[in-house]
Amino acid sequence: MVRFEQVGLSYPAHGPGPLAPVLYDLSFSVPEGGFRWLVGASGAGKTSLLRLMYLAVRPSTGRLSLLEVDIGSARRRQLAGLRRRIGVVYQDFRLLPHLSAFDNVALPLRIDGRSEGQIRADVVEMLRWVGLSGKLDSPPETLSGGEQQRVAIARAVIARPRLLLADEPTGNLDEVQAERLLRLLQELSRLGTTVIVATHNRGLVSRHDAPSLRLDHGRLVC
Amino acid sequence: MARSPLRPRGFDDLGLQRALSDRLLPFLVAAMAFLAALALAGFFAAAQLARHWQQGAAASVTVQVPAPSAPAAGAGAAPATRLKRVLALLRKDPAIASARALSAAELNALLRPWLGAESRPLALPLPAVIAVSLAQPTASLAGLGAALGKAAPGTLIESHGVWAGRLTALAESLQASAAVALLVVTAVAVAVVAVATRSGLATRREAIEIVHGLGATDRYIAARFAARATRLALLGAIAGAAASLPVLLTLARVAAPFGRLEAPAAPLAIPTAGLPPLLWLALPLLPLAAAVIGYVTAQVTVHSWLRRLP
């Protein structure tokens, strides 16, 4: 469950002066297992909204509740535990360049303290599913943009998160791969994961009917 | 051979092998450990010197008996010379550990620097000199002085305590200086590890943010930095302490006569090789201390840095 109650977000402006607001009075909720498109023009605040949900920032105003945890009053350690239950596909992938594809995908499981035997089985299966079974040992710099994106997707879903956030997850994928990814996200949603996907891809949105959160200049318009 | 996809030992998820250099930090810690070893040696050597002077010189007293062969005052049925009477009184006193009259040859040896090497017997009436060792360096000799003066008027008691006290104070101030040097070296070592850790944090900021975003706790991230800093500090300190040994052994041989009047003929043949015994216990503790400094400093630095992340 994701619940926003009059949430606003402001970033510190460069140099002294007032904070620069980027999101205003957002109120909405997404139930457990819900699927939402997050749409809006560039600069509308999609990434800022995702940042709030993957706990890179805390709300400046209002009340945000994620997976039954009130973010305003949560303790630091609690937030770390919450992050382990949230999977994120970043627009810029954010893979660790010194680690292989295998180690990048395994990272959430290792942070969660899973056994290496289980990690090996899960990661090998996940990389096989995204079509990278031949590139387990490849560092990200040797992979194409599409392959890096698939590693990022694999890392986001490997720990079976309860909330999955994706920022333009199909930007570097061909149509076939994009459709395949969408089917995976919908399957995760059907199994109970709340999924929110930010995208500019109107074709994708029109082919996969789901409620949308539309942002315009930092405000929710529908 | 293909690398196993299984997690290798010492899995470096934050890429710290690139961030915390395995050359600069160990080198700086080695230099600190080297200086700490010298300071420790100074501390223990000064303590040993102070103890030696207190127990040796401060416990020594010289008694001069003019006209030693003359009969003692108040000699009764058993007449004795003044020297024998004084010796008897000294040996009877519980504060005196031993009293021994110097022989004529020893007296001549003492006077040789002033009177030349000629061994002709002197016509001057020389006092007898008695070397006395006190059971306690702090024992009061006031009562004894009066008794000796009564038995052999003109007898002088010359205590070495004043000079021994001054030398002891000197040794103690050296010891204090060594302790201060040790504290400064410790503070610099803490600063070196803190600066290296902060530099590592800045270099690996992106990796830390990613791992933090994946749900790593502050403890998880700090543990990785602390493990690396501990290992590098330990290796550096082992090298520094080992490098200090030849220097310390050389210094011990040079300084042996100051700490040990009966300088051993072959200092390296004895178990402590001329070094204060406590130093042999303290030197192996240096790398352990450096490891603790590395661990604690890295933990504190990383935890305080991570506060800037949400």
Side-chain angles (χ1 to χ4, degrees), chain B:
Chain B
M1 195 177 97
R3 191 173 67 83
S4 161
L6 276 175
R7 179 184 190 172
R9 201 164 160 264
F11 176 64
D12 184 21
D13 45 1
L14 294 173
L16 297 183
Q17 283 174 14
R18 292 168 176 78
L20 281 177
S21 159
D22 57 3
R23 293 197 185 149
L24 185 62
L25 185 59
F27 174 77
L28 291 174
V29 173
M32 295 297 115
F34 183 85
L35 292 175
L38 293 190
L40 271 175
F43 181 86
F44 288 126
Q48 187 170 299
L49 214 52
R51 203 164 46 247
H52 170 78
W53 279 333
Q54 263 176 345
Q55 289 173 353
S60 300
V61 171
T62 308
V63 176
Q64 289 182 43
V65 186
S69 308
T81 63
R82 285 158 56 92
L83 174 60
K84 281 186 178 169
R85 189 46 129 2
V86 167
L87 272 174
L89 281 170
L90 285 171
R91 284 170 182 159
K92 215 166 60 185
D93 196 302
I96 306 292
S98 70
R100 182 180 69 84
L102 299 190
S103 66
E106 285 173 313
L107 270 180
N108 280 339
L110 280 176
L111 293 171
R112 197 171 296 135
W114 287 274
L115 301 178
E118 288 186 35
S119 57
R120 268 187 307 147
L122 290 165
L124 291 168
L126 282 180
V129 176
I130 304 170
V132 176
S133 289
L134 300 178
Q136 289 289 327
T138 51
S140 168
L141 302 175
L144 182 65
L148 294 183
K150 203 169 158 191
T155 297
L156 289 175
I157 298 181
E158 192 184 342
S159 170
H160 300 181
V162 176
W163 281 106
R166 288 175 186 169
L167 287 172
T168 302
L170 172 68
E172 284 172 351
S173 67
L174 285 174
Q175 203 181 349
S177 303
V180 170
L182 202 57
L183 283 178
V184 171
V185 165
T186 306
V188 173
V190 168
V192 161
V193 175
V195 168
T197 305
R198 289 191 77 85
S199 152
L201 285 163
T203 311
R204 305 308 300 163
R205 184 182 178 118
E206 197 182 344
I208 293 166
E209 284 176 352
I210 291 171
V211 172
H212 174 79
L214 290 171
T217 57
D218 293 358
R219 197 171 155 192
Y220 178 96
I221 296 169
R224 263 128 198 90
F225 271 90
R228 177 100 179 133
T230 304
R231 187 167 170 273
L232 296 181
L234 183 68
L235 291 176
I238 288 173
S244 72
L245 256 186
V247 178
L248 292 177
L249 289 173
T250 308
L251 284 176
R253 293 180 73 171
V254 171
F258 294 98
R260 187 182 284 270
L261 292 180
E262 65 289 9
L268 289 174
I270 60 171
T272 59
L275 292 177
L278 277 176
L279 189 59
W280 286 110
L281 287 175
L283 276 182
L285 291 179
L286 265 183
L288 289 180
V292 170
I293 288 173
Y295 178 83
V296 173
T297 308
Q299 283 277 358
V300 170
T301 309
V302 175
H303 272 285
S304 90
W305 187 91
L306 286 173
R307 291 271 152 206
R308 69 186 62 191
L309 299 181

Side-chain angles (χ1 to χ4, degrees), chain A residues 32 79 88 125:
Chain A
E32 190 173 325
L79 290 184
V88 187
E125 171 58 20

